[in-house]
Each structure stands twice: as C-alpha cells, then as structure tokens.
C-alpha cells in the first residue's frame, strides 16, 4: 500500500511512502502515521482519506494494492 | 491525461486543472449559447496582500485526477439544478503570480439570476471541497498553507463548511 500526502502534510511526512500491508483499515493507518510523527496529530485530525480517488471512512478495509491519498481541508480558489 | 480510476466516466483532467495561465478570454468566447441570454464569468485572482502581509505569489497543489472528477460532478449537478446551458470551471496549479487568475467559473443561462446563483454555488463548492491547496508565499520570505477554507474553526466540524451551517440556520 502506498500513501501520498499533500499541502502542509508534506511538512510532516515524505510526499509518498509505502506502509506495511498489515494495516487493516484507515484507523490503523492513522495510528501508524502518528507513530511515524506524533507532531502530526492535530493536522491529521482535520484530514480525510481517499482510496483510488474516492473518499473513504475510517472503517474502510485496506487492500494490498490500495493507493491512499491523505486530504487536508481544501483551500482552492 | 485521462483518469480511469473511478467507476464514473473518465474525465479529461486538463479540462478542469491547468498548470498553464487560464485563458479567460478563450473560455468565455466558447461559452456563448443561443438559448442563453446571460453569461457570468467569475475569476478568482491572486491579491497582493493577505492577513496584513504582502503576498509575493501563490502556489497551488492538487490531487489532479480527483479534483478534476469532483469539479466535473459539481458542474453536472449545477447544470441539472439550474438548467444551465453552459457550465465551465478550471483551476490553476503551480505558481500563480499576483493579478493572475487562479480559478475561473463560467455559467450561461436564459436569464441572469440563475447564472449568478449557479456560478456562486460552483465556486463555493470548488473552494471548499475539491482537493486543491493554496500556499501563500509572502514578500518577507515566510509561507503559509491554506487560508481559504478555515470552516472547521468556525463550525467545529472538520467536514462541515460554513455555508452548510448557514443553510441549516436559514431553514
């Protein structure tokens, strides 16, 4: 599973990185991210997760080849 | 570049997301329709100041495939809701200079009321929901991500935008 982050999340994580396949859902992925960088807690709490370009909720069951985008609040325009 | 990651019809990303200066005149020229007596063009331009600081330039980042798909969906929804003859929207990514357009929305309808209403609806949703992010670079050398959608600070809910709360309050 590969993760891509955007905007201010890049101050906390690499732009793209591989996460362990043992992570079963978004909630466990979130915990993994906090273990990588505890300082990201507040930023992550306002983010949404998307798999294959669709938003998913925290119960979403991750699959082996999922491409996960972590989406901070939008600030377009 | 075409995306086919979703079950929805693929959209041409470059129609909605551009790393080149937006061609407002060209887009407007293509937005006339024999049934439409009203054409509204909104351009979101880069200001030279924000939060009391001088802005040097902005940089926009997007999850382009997802953003394009979402803008296409927003335009489709607005088209149905207001019976628009034409609905166009394009957002810039990369470095955008002061005075340049970062986003354009064009709506065309028989009468002006619907064109204005739909245009406002489309730009609000693009600004608040579509995965596009602004980074402000100030002349003092500092930078700041975000800046437009701080709705969660006002609504207390990271997934609730201020206009959704306003709507609920008005009902």
């Amino acid at each position: 599973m590969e993760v891509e982050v955007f905007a201010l999340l890049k101050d906390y994580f690499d732009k793209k990185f591989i996460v362990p396949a043992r992570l079963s859902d978004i909630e466990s992925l979130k915990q993994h991210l906090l273990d990588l960088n505890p300082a990201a807690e507040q930023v992550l709490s306002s983010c949404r997760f998307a798999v294959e370009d669709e938003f998913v909720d925290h119960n979403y069951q991750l699959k082996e080849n999922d491409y996960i985008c972590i989406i901070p609040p939008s600030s377009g325009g | 570049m075409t995306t086919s990651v979703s079950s929805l019809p693929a959209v041409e990303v470059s129609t909605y997301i551009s790393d080149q200066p937006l061609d407002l005149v060209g887009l407007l020229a293509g937005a006339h329709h024999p049934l439409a007596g009203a054409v509204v063009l909104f351009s979101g331009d880069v200001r030279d100041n924000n939060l009391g600081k001088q802005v040097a330039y902005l940089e926009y980042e997007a999850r382009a495939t997802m953003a394009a798909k979402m803008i296409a969906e927003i335009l489709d929804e607005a088209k149905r809701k207001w019976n628009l003859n034409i609905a166009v929207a394009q957002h810039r990514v990369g470095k955008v200079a002061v005075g340049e357009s970062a986003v354009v929305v064009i709506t065309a309808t028989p009468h002006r009321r619907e064109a204005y209403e739909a245009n406002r609806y489309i730009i609000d949703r693009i600004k608040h929901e579509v995965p596009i992010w602004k980074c402000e670079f100030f002349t003092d050398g500092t930078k700041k991500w975000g800046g437009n959608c701080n709705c969660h600070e006002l609504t207390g809910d990271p997934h609730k935008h201020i206009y959704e709360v306003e709507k609920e309050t008005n009902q």
Side-chain angles (χ1 to χ4, degrees):
Chain A
M1 295 180 286
E2 191 171 6
V3 167
E4 182 175 357
V5 305
F6 299 88
L8 80 169
L9 281 171
K10 293 184 296 182
D11 293 345
Y12 297 86
F13 302 100
D14 292 337
K15 172 73 177 155
K16 291 184 186 183
F17 53 98
I18 304 290
V19 293
R22 64 177 162 76
L23 299 175
S24 58
D25 56 15
I26 296 293
E27 203 54 57
S28 56
L29 169 63
K30 212 170 165 180
Q31 191 53 54
H32 176 73
L33 297 170
L34 289 176
D35 293 342
L36 288 176
N37 188 349
E41 183 169 13
Q42 202 185 344
V43 180
L44 278 173
S45 70
S46 65
C47 291
R48 300 173 76 183
F49 292 75
V51 175
E52 310 303 338
D53 281 349
E54 297 283 350
F55 286 116
V56 295
D57 65 30
H58 284 194
N59 300 321
Y60 173 84
Q61 297 296 308
L62 290 164
K63 291 185 285 294
E64 196 182 336
N65 293 317
D66 276 349
Y67 193 88
I68 307 146
C69 290
I70 310 184
I71 308 285
S74 301
S75 60
Chain B
M1 186 167 52
T2 302
T3 172
S4 58
V5 288
S6 156
S7 52
L8 291 159
V11 298
E12 193 69 35
V13 171
S14 60
T15 306
Y16 306 100
I17 303 293
S18 171
D19 60 4
Q20 299 297 313
L22 302 183
D23 177 15
L24 301 190
V25 174
L27 290 170
L28 181 61
H32 299 290
H33 188 282
L35 292 174
V39 182
V40 169
L41 181 149
F42 169 81
S43 171
D45 289 8
V46 176
R47 267 178 295 133
D48 74 352
N49 68 90
N50 195 28
L51 309 168
K53 288 165 83 167
Q54 284 297 115
V55 171
Y57 62 91
L58 302 187
E59 242 178 66
Y60 286 93
E61 182 181 2
R63 170 64 178 166
T65 48
M66 193 173 174
K69 199 176 66 176
M70 287 177 71
I71 291 174
E73 287 167 11
I74 292 167
L75 292 175
D76 277 350
E77 195 185 314
K79 267 183 156 172
R80 285 196 302 274
K81 195 168 172 189
W82 281 277
N83 284 318
L84 304 179
N85 302 113
I86 290 188
V88 172
Q90 202 173 67
H91 203 297
R92 179 109 175 251
V93 288
K95 188 172 172 178
V96 187
V98 168
E100 289 187 340
S101 177
V103 58
V104 60
V105 177
I106 305 174
T107 44
T109 52
H111 305 288
R112 67 184 179 279
R113 182 180 163 180
E114 290 77 13
Y116 275 115
E117 277 182 13
N119 198 292
R120 167 114 194 252
Y121 173 84
I122 292 164
I123 188 60
D124 278 351
R125 289 199 56 195
I126 289 175
K127 281 172 94 96
H128 293 258
E129 294 174 29
V130 175
I132 300 172
W133 303 276
K134 171 172 78 174
C135 191
E136 293 172 303
F137 288 83
F138 299 101
T139 52
D140 64 7
T142 59
K143 67 167 191 175
K144 185 179 187 292
W145 278 105
N148 263 347
C149 182
N150 296 321
C151 290
H152 59 284
E153 290 172 12
L154 300 166
T155 63
D157 181 339
H159 307 312
K160 193 141 255 181
H161 301 292
I162 189 69
Y163 56 91
E164 294 173 287
V165 173
E166 283 170 353
K167 214 185 304 168
E168 285 166 12
T169 320
N170 292 339
Q171 277 168 357

